[in-house]
Amino acid sequence: MAELTPDPQTPVRRGRGRRPADQVRAEILTAAGELLLAEGMAGFTIEKVAAHAGASRMTIYKWWPSKGALALDGYFTVVAPTLAFADTADIVADLTNQLVAFVHLVRDTTAGRVISQLIGQAQTDPELAAAYRERYSGPRRALAVETLTRAMARGQLRADIDPESVVDQLWGACYHRLLIADLPLTEDFARTLVDNLIRGLR
């Protein structure tokens, strides 16, 4: 798994010349994600992101209406490669591999601390809660639902299952152990979730 604990302390020095908008946006997102993983929401500011990306605050606010929206887009940018859904045409393997990757990400890197902070703050910050649904949990859920729907079309899963509830059963259980640490969040737990659930989906 890729290293997710970069050091964003030193602002990036840019050469002369105007950068393409797509490049500037990508560099802002990378800077936001790296800063968030390094310092959490407590140390995350638009000013720090702007300095690290070599962009202006005005440019950032043109694309992101709030600090929370930028933080979530940045978080999704840096974790997306780790949480990419493979499509091997084997739904059991694909679900297991993705869920295990998620467990390692939130347990073994600072990403777990950050997403816990974001979820906690979203309970009392309606703007952050809306951004969380729109920019992180919504896109993540859509990827999982798409994977399950393809498996249903291939006949690997029953045609009458509700993909949305399957997502809640698998990832919801992992988030529960992440946020309420009564029991450890482990790779074996992730594999057991898939194994238990898949028996009822065929």
Side-chain angles (χ1 to χ4, degrees):
M1 182 169 54
E3 178 63 39
L4 292 175
T5 55
D7 180 6
Q9 299 302 318
T10 305
V12 176
R13 294 184 180 276
R14 304 293 180 192
R16 292 186 175 183
R18 188 178 182 87
R19 292 172 286 161
D22 287 348
Q23 179 184 341
V24 174
R25 183 181 177 88
E27 290 172 353
I28 290 171
L29 284 172
T30 298
E34 290 177 349
L35 178 65
L36 188 64
L37 292 184
E39 300 191 17
M41 281 300 287
F44 185 90
T45 67
I46 296 293
E47 291 77 9
K48 288 181 181 179
V49 174
H52 186 54
S56 69
R57 292 175 58 196
M58 183 180 300
T59 296
I60 291 175
Y61 279 117
K62 180 175 67 175
W63 286 320
W64 292 277
S66 67
K67 181 177 80 168
L70 175 59
L72 286 163
D73 273 2
Y75 181 86
F76 188 70
T77 295
V78 296
V79 304
T82 301
L83 298 181
F85 250 109
D87 184 8
T88 66
D90 181 341
I91 187 58
V92 177
D94 291 345
L95 285 176
T96 301
N97 291 337
Q98 214 290 329
L99 205 63
V100 166
F102 174 76
V103 166
H104 283 299
L105 177 74
V106 299
R107 186 192 66 187
D108 301 335
T109 78
T110 55
R113 171 178 57 84
V114 168
I115 199 64
S116 297
Q117 291 174 350
L118 289 168
I119 291 171
Q121 290 188 33
Q123 306 312 302
T124 55
D125 184 339
E127 188 176 77
L128 179 58
Y132 179 85
R133 290 190 297 271
E134 176 186 345
R135 298 172 183 271
Y136 179 69
S137 64
R140 292 294 310 150
R141 176 180 288 272
L143 288 173
V145 167
E146 181 182 348
T147 296
L148 291 163
T149 302
R150 286 198 301 266
M152 293 163 64
R154 291 194 296 260
Q156 294 180 323
L157 302 176
R158 293 202 325 259
D160 62 343
I161 70 169
D162 174 18
E164 298 281 359
S165 65
V166 174
V167 173
D168 290 333
Q169 287 174 289
L170 292 174
W171 280 268
C174 291
Y175 275 114
H176 184 273
R177 287 205 177 185
L178 174 68
L179 298 172
I180 305 174
D182 291 334
L183 292 171
L185 180 58
T186 65
E187 181 176 324
D188 284 344
F189 175 65
R191 295 183 183 279
T192 299
L193 285 175
V194 177
D195 183 63
N196 287 347
L197 186 60
I198 208 72
R199 297 174 192 273
L201 297 181
R202 288 178 161 171

